[in-house]
Each structure stands twice: as C-alpha cells, then as structure tokens.
Short mmCIF file of all heavy atoms in Angstrom, two decimals:
data_model
loop_
_atom_site.label_atom_id
_atom_site.label_comp_id
_atom_site.label_asym_id
_atom_site.label_seq_id
_atom_site.Cartn_x
_atom_site.Cartn_y
_atom_site.Cartn_z
N VAL A 1 -69.13 35.04 -263.85
CA VAL A 1 -70.42 34.45 -264.17
C VAL A 1 -71.37 35.57 -264.61
O VAL A 1 -71.10 36.76 -264.40
CB VAL A 1 -71.01 33.69 -262.96
CG1 VAL A 1 -70.07 32.60 -262.49
CG2 VAL A 1 -71.40 34.63 -261.83
N ALA A 2 -72.48 35.19 -265.19
CA ALA A 2 -73.56 36.13 -265.40
C ALA A 2 -74.26 36.36 -264.07
O ALA A 2 -74.33 35.46 -263.24
CB ALA A 2 -74.55 35.61 -266.44
N THR A 3 -74.78 37.55 -263.83
CA THR A 3 -75.43 37.85 -262.56
C THR A 3 -76.81 38.46 -262.77
O THR A 3 -77.05 39.15 -263.78
CB THR A 3 -74.57 38.82 -261.71
OG1 THR A 3 -75.22 39.05 -260.47
CG2 THR A 3 -74.40 40.15 -262.42
N ILE A 4 -77.67 38.18 -261.82
CA ILE A 4 -79.02 38.79 -261.83
C ILE A 4 -78.99 40.18 -261.22
O ILE A 4 -79.78 41.05 -261.54
CB ILE A 4 -80.00 37.88 -261.05
CG1 ILE A 4 -80.17 36.57 -261.80
CG2 ILE A 4 -81.35 38.56 -260.87
CD1 ILE A 4 -80.93 35.48 -261.02
N GLY A 5 -78.04 40.42 -260.31
CA GLY A 5 -78.01 41.64 -259.50
C GLY A 5 -77.49 42.87 -260.24
O GLY A 5 -76.31 43.18 -260.16
N LEU A 6 -78.33 43.58 -260.89
CA LEU A 6 -77.92 44.76 -261.67
C LEU A 6 -77.50 45.90 -260.76
O LEU A 6 -76.63 46.69 -261.14
CB LEU A 6 -79.04 45.22 -262.60
CG LEU A 6 -79.59 44.23 -263.59
CD1 LEU A 6 -80.48 44.93 -264.61
CD2 LEU A 6 -78.51 43.43 -264.28
N GLY A 7 -78.13 46.02 -259.59
CA GLY A 7 -77.74 47.06 -258.64
C GLY A 7 -76.32 46.90 -258.22
O GLY A 7 -75.54 47.87 -258.22
N ARG A 8 -75.97 45.69 -257.80
CA ARG A 8 -74.61 45.44 -257.37
C ARG A 8 -73.63 45.67 -258.54
O ARG A 8 -72.52 46.20 -258.34
CB ARG A 8 -74.48 44.03 -256.82
CG ARG A 8 -73.06 43.67 -256.37
CD ARG A 8 -73.01 42.38 -255.62
NE ARG A 8 -71.64 41.94 -255.40
CZ ARG A 8 -71.28 40.86 -254.73
NH1 ARG A 8 -72.19 40.11 -254.16
NH2 ARG A 8 -70.01 40.53 -254.61
N ALA A 9 -74.04 45.24 -259.73
CA ALA A 9 -73.18 45.45 -260.92
C ALA A 9 -72.93 46.91 -261.17
O ALA A 9 -71.80 47.34 -261.45
CB ALA A 9 -73.75 44.75 -262.12
N LEU A 10 -73.98 47.72 -261.04
CA LEU A 10 -73.81 49.15 -261.27
C LEU A 10 -72.89 49.78 -260.20
O LEU A 10 -72.00 50.58 -260.55
CB LEU A 10 -75.17 49.86 -261.25
CG LEU A 10 -75.11 51.39 -261.37
CD1 LEU A 10 -74.50 51.81 -262.70
CD2 LEU A 10 -76.52 51.98 -261.22
N LEU A 11 -73.09 49.43 -258.94
CA LEU A 11 -72.21 49.95 -257.90
C LEU A 11 -70.77 49.58 -258.17
O LEU A 11 -69.84 50.38 -258.00
CB LEU A 11 -72.62 49.42 -256.53
CG LEU A 11 -73.56 50.35 -255.72
CD1 LEU A 11 -74.92 50.51 -256.40
CD2 LEU A 11 -73.77 49.83 -254.29
N SER A 12 -70.54 48.35 -258.60
CA SER A 12 -69.20 47.88 -258.94
C SER A 12 -68.59 48.65 -260.08
O SER A 12 -67.38 48.97 -260.07
CB SER A 12 -69.21 46.39 -259.22
OG SER A 12 -67.95 45.89 -259.56
N ARG A 13 -69.42 48.95 -261.09
CA ARG A 13 -68.88 49.70 -262.22
C ARG A 13 -68.55 51.12 -261.83
O ARG A 13 -67.51 51.66 -262.22
CB ARG A 13 -69.91 49.71 -263.36
CG ARG A 13 -69.43 50.51 -264.57
CD ARG A 13 -69.95 49.99 -265.87
NE ARG A 13 -69.27 50.69 -266.99
CZ ARG A 13 -69.46 50.43 -268.26
NH1 ARG A 13 -70.28 49.47 -268.63
NH2 ARG A 13 -68.81 51.12 -269.19
N LEU A 14 -69.38 51.76 -261.03
CA LEU A 14 -69.16 53.14 -260.63
C LEU A 14 -67.97 53.25 -259.64
O LEU A 14 -67.12 54.15 -259.78
CB LEU A 14 -70.40 53.73 -260.00
CG LEU A 14 -71.58 54.02 -260.95
CD1 LEU A 14 -72.81 54.39 -260.18
CD2 LEU A 14 -71.21 55.10 -261.96
N ALA A 15 -67.94 52.39 -258.65
CA ALA A 15 -66.94 52.52 -257.59
C ALA A 15 -65.62 51.88 -257.92
O ALA A 15 -64.57 52.35 -257.44
CB ALA A 15 -67.50 51.89 -256.30
N ASP A 16 -65.63 50.81 -258.74
CA ASP A 16 -64.41 50.04 -258.97
C ASP A 16 -64.06 49.93 -260.45
O ASP A 16 -63.11 49.20 -260.81
CB ASP A 16 -64.56 48.65 -258.38
CG ASP A 16 -64.87 48.71 -256.90
OD1 ASP A 16 -64.15 49.44 -256.17
OD2 ASP A 16 -65.82 48.03 -256.44
N SER A 17 -64.82 50.57 -261.35
CA SER A 17 -64.55 50.57 -262.78
C SER A 17 -64.60 49.17 -263.40
O SER A 17 -63.97 48.92 -264.43
CB SER A 17 -63.19 51.22 -263.08
OG SER A 17 -63.17 52.56 -262.61
N VAL A 18 -65.35 48.26 -262.80
CA VAL A 18 -65.55 46.94 -263.39
C VAL A 18 -66.57 47.10 -264.55
O VAL A 18 -67.67 47.63 -264.32
CB VAL A 18 -66.06 45.92 -262.38
CG1 VAL A 18 -66.33 44.57 -263.07
CG2 VAL A 18 -65.04 45.74 -261.26
N PRO A 19 -66.26 46.70 -265.79
CA PRO A 19 -67.07 47.08 -266.92
C PRO A 19 -68.36 46.26 -267.15
O PRO A 19 -68.64 45.81 -268.26
CB PRO A 19 -66.10 46.88 -268.10
CG PRO A 19 -65.23 45.78 -267.66
CD PRO A 19 -65.01 45.97 -266.16
N TRP A 20 -69.11 46.05 -266.08
CA TRP A 20 -70.38 45.34 -266.21
C TRP A 20 -71.29 46.01 -267.22
O TRP A 20 -71.33 47.24 -267.33
CB TRP A 20 -71.11 45.32 -264.86
CG TRP A 20 -70.53 44.46 -263.80
CD1 TRP A 20 -69.73 44.86 -262.76
CD2 TRP A 20 -70.68 43.05 -263.66
NE1 TRP A 20 -69.39 43.75 -261.98
CE2 TRP A 20 -69.96 42.63 -262.52
CE3 TRP A 20 -71.36 42.08 -264.40
CZ2 TRP A 20 -69.92 41.32 -262.09
CZ3 TRP A 20 -71.31 40.76 -263.98
CH2 TRP A 20 -70.60 40.39 -262.83
N VAL A 21 -72.09 45.20 -267.93
CA VAL A 21 -73.17 45.69 -268.77
C VAL A 21 -74.41 44.86 -268.50
O VAL A 21 -74.31 43.64 -268.29
CB VAL A 21 -72.82 45.67 -270.26
CG1 VAL A 21 -71.72 46.68 -270.57
CG2 VAL A 21 -72.44 44.28 -270.73
N ALA A 22 -75.57 45.51 -268.49
CA ALA A 22 -76.83 44.87 -268.25
C ALA A 22 -77.50 44.56 -269.59
O ALA A 22 -77.58 45.42 -270.47
CB ALA A 22 -77.75 45.73 -267.41
N LEU A 23 -77.98 43.34 -269.76
CA LEU A 23 -78.55 42.88 -271.03
C LEU A 23 -80.06 42.65 -270.96
O LEU A 23 -80.70 42.47 -271.96
CB LEU A 23 -77.90 41.59 -271.47
CG LEU A 23 -76.38 41.63 -271.52
CD1 LEU A 23 -75.81 40.26 -271.93
CD2 LEU A 23 -75.90 42.72 -272.49
N ASN A 24 -80.60 42.65 -269.75
CA ASN A 24 -82.02 42.43 -269.55
C ASN A 24 -82.41 43.05 -268.23
O ASN A 24 -81.64 42.99 -267.27
CB ASN A 24 -82.36 40.95 -269.57
CG ASN A 24 -83.82 40.66 -269.74
OD1 ASN A 24 -84.42 41.03 -270.73
ND2 ASN A 24 -84.45 40.01 -268.77
N VAL A 25 -83.59 43.62 -268.15
CA VAL A 25 -84.07 44.28 -266.93
C VAL A 25 -85.46 43.77 -266.60
O VAL A 25 -86.34 43.72 -267.46
CB VAL A 25 -84.14 45.81 -267.11
CG1 VAL A 25 -84.87 46.48 -265.96
CG2 VAL A 25 -82.74 46.39 -267.24
N ASN A 26 -85.64 43.33 -265.35
CA ASN A 26 -86.92 42.80 -264.95
C ASN A 26 -87.91 43.85 -264.45
O ASN A 26 -89.11 43.73 -264.65
CB ASN A 26 -86.73 41.75 -263.84
CG ASN A 26 -85.90 40.54 -264.29
OD1 ASN A 26 -85.78 40.32 -265.48
ND2 ASN A 26 -85.37 39.81 -263.34
N THR A 27 -87.40 44.83 -263.70
CA THR A 27 -88.26 45.84 -263.14
C THR A 27 -87.45 47.11 -262.87
O THR A 27 -86.22 47.07 -262.77
CB THR A 27 -88.93 45.36 -261.83
OG1 THR A 27 -89.80 46.38 -261.30
CG2 THR A 27 -87.94 45.00 -260.77
N HIS A 28 -88.15 48.24 -262.74
CA HIS A 28 -87.52 49.50 -262.35
C HIS A 28 -87.84 49.87 -260.91
O HIS A 28 -87.51 50.98 -260.47
CB HIS A 28 -87.97 50.60 -263.29
CG HIS A 28 -87.50 50.44 -264.71
ND1 HIS A 28 -87.92 49.40 -265.54
CD2 HIS A 28 -86.64 51.18 -265.47
CE1 HIS A 28 -87.34 49.54 -266.73
NE2 HIS A 28 -86.56 50.60 -266.72
N ARG A 29 -88.53 48.98 -260.21
CA ARG A 29 -88.96 49.27 -258.84
C ARG A 29 -88.41 48.27 -257.85
O ARG A 29 -88.89 47.12 -257.75
CB ARG A 29 -90.49 49.21 -258.79
CG ARG A 29 -91.20 50.12 -259.82
CD ARG A 29 -91.63 51.42 -259.21
NE ARG A 29 -92.38 52.24 -260.16
CZ ARG A 29 -93.22 53.20 -259.81
NH1 ARG A 29 -93.42 53.44 -258.52
NH2 ARG A 29 -93.85 53.90 -260.71
N PRO A 30 -87.37 48.61 -257.13
CA PRO A 30 -86.72 47.68 -256.20
C PRO A 30 -87.73 47.16 -255.14
O PRO A 30 -88.44 47.96 -254.54
CB PRO A 30 -85.60 48.49 -255.56
CG PRO A 30 -85.33 49.61 -256.53
CD PRO A 30 -86.65 49.92 -257.16
N LEU A 31 -87.74 45.86 -254.94
CA LEU A 31 -88.67 45.24 -254.00
C LEU A 31 -88.08 45.21 -252.59
O LEU A 31 -87.70 44.16 -252.07
CB LEU A 31 -89.06 43.84 -254.47
CG LEU A 31 -89.89 43.77 -255.76
CD1 LEU A 31 -90.15 42.31 -256.12
CD2 LEU A 31 -91.19 44.55 -255.63
N PHE A 32 -88.03 46.40 -251.96
CA PHE A 32 -87.62 46.53 -250.57
C PHE A 32 -88.57 47.49 -249.88
O PHE A 32 -89.02 48.47 -250.51
CB PHE A 32 -86.16 47.06 -250.48
CG PHE A 32 -85.14 46.16 -251.08
CD1 PHE A 32 -84.76 46.28 -252.38
CD2 PHE A 32 -84.60 45.11 -250.33
CE1 PHE A 32 -83.82 45.42 -252.96
CE2 PHE A 32 -83.67 44.22 -250.89
CZ PHE A 32 -83.28 44.38 -252.19
N TRP A 33 -88.80 47.21 -248.59
CA TRP A 33 -89.79 47.99 -247.83
C TRP A 33 -89.22 48.34 -246.47
O TRP A 33 -88.45 47.60 -245.86
CB TRP A 33 -91.05 47.20 -247.61
CG TRP A 33 -91.80 46.84 -248.84
CD1 TRP A 33 -92.91 47.46 -249.38
CD2 TRP A 33 -91.58 45.73 -249.74
NE1 TRP A 33 -93.32 46.85 -250.51
CE2 TRP A 33 -92.52 45.76 -250.76
CE3 TRP A 33 -90.62 44.71 -249.74
CZ2 TRP A 33 -92.58 44.82 -251.78
CZ3 TRP A 33 -90.68 43.78 -250.75
CH2 TRP A 33 -91.64 43.83 -251.75
N PHE A 34 -89.63 49.50 -245.93
CA PHE A 34 -89.35 49.89 -244.55
C PHE A 34 -90.52 49.43 -243.70
O PHE A 34 -91.64 49.96 -243.85
CB PHE A 34 -89.15 51.39 -244.45
CG PHE A 34 -87.93 51.92 -245.09
CD1 PHE A 34 -87.92 52.30 -246.44
CD2 PHE A 34 -86.74 52.06 -244.37
CE1 PHE A 34 -86.76 52.78 -247.03
CE2 PHE A 34 -85.59 52.55 -244.96
CZ PHE A 34 -85.61 52.91 -246.27
N LEU A 35 -90.28 48.46 -242.88
CA LEU A 35 -91.31 47.86 -242.00
C LEU A 35 -91.03 48.28 -240.58
O LEU A 35 -89.88 48.16 -240.09
CB LEU A 35 -91.25 46.35 -242.15
CG LEU A 35 -92.30 45.49 -241.38
CD1 LEU A 35 -93.71 45.82 -241.86
CD2 LEU A 35 -91.99 44.01 -241.57
N ALA A 36 -92.04 48.78 -239.85
CA ALA A 36 -91.80 49.37 -238.52
C ALA A 36 -92.80 48.87 -237.49
O ALA A 36 -93.96 48.55 -237.80
CB ALA A 36 -91.87 50.89 -238.59
N ARG A 37 -92.36 48.83 -236.25
CA ARG A 37 -93.20 48.61 -235.10
C ARG A 37 -94.14 49.80 -234.89
O ARG A 37 -93.93 50.87 -235.48
CB ARG A 37 -92.36 48.43 -233.83
CG ARG A 37 -91.60 47.10 -233.73
CD ARG A 37 -90.66 47.10 -232.54
NE ARG A 37 -91.32 47.49 -231.31
CZ ARG A 37 -92.05 46.66 -230.53
NH1 ARG A 37 -92.22 45.42 -230.90
NH2 ARG A 37 -92.61 47.09 -229.44
#
C-alpha cells in the first residue's frame, strides 16, 4: 500500500533494502516530545 510514515519507510530502506521512495513531505520536524514529571 501507499504509506504516510516516511520515517518507517526510510528505516526499512536502510536496514532491509526495501526500495521505498517518498513522493510528498508534510514537515521536517517530527511531532514528538519528551514530557517529564
């Protein structure tokens, strides 16, 4: 299928040689945060 997850696609291409290509990019800033007590 087509996938939204470009990060996973890149890891798969690097680690497993799956020939994914990205055709559209939404952002260059991953939306993840370190939240702490």
Side-chain angles (χ1 to χ4, degrees):
V1 303
T3 182
I4 294 171
L6 304 191
R8 179 170 169 178
L10 176 61
L11 265 65
S12 179
R13 178 148 189 177
L14 289 171
D16 303 311
S17 300
V18 177
W20 288 100
V21 292
L23 307 177
N24 195 60
V25 169
N26 297 342
T27 181
H28 294 66
R29 305 262 185 158
L31 293 179
F32 297 93
W33 297 261
F34 291 89
L35 183 62
R37 286 173 51 82

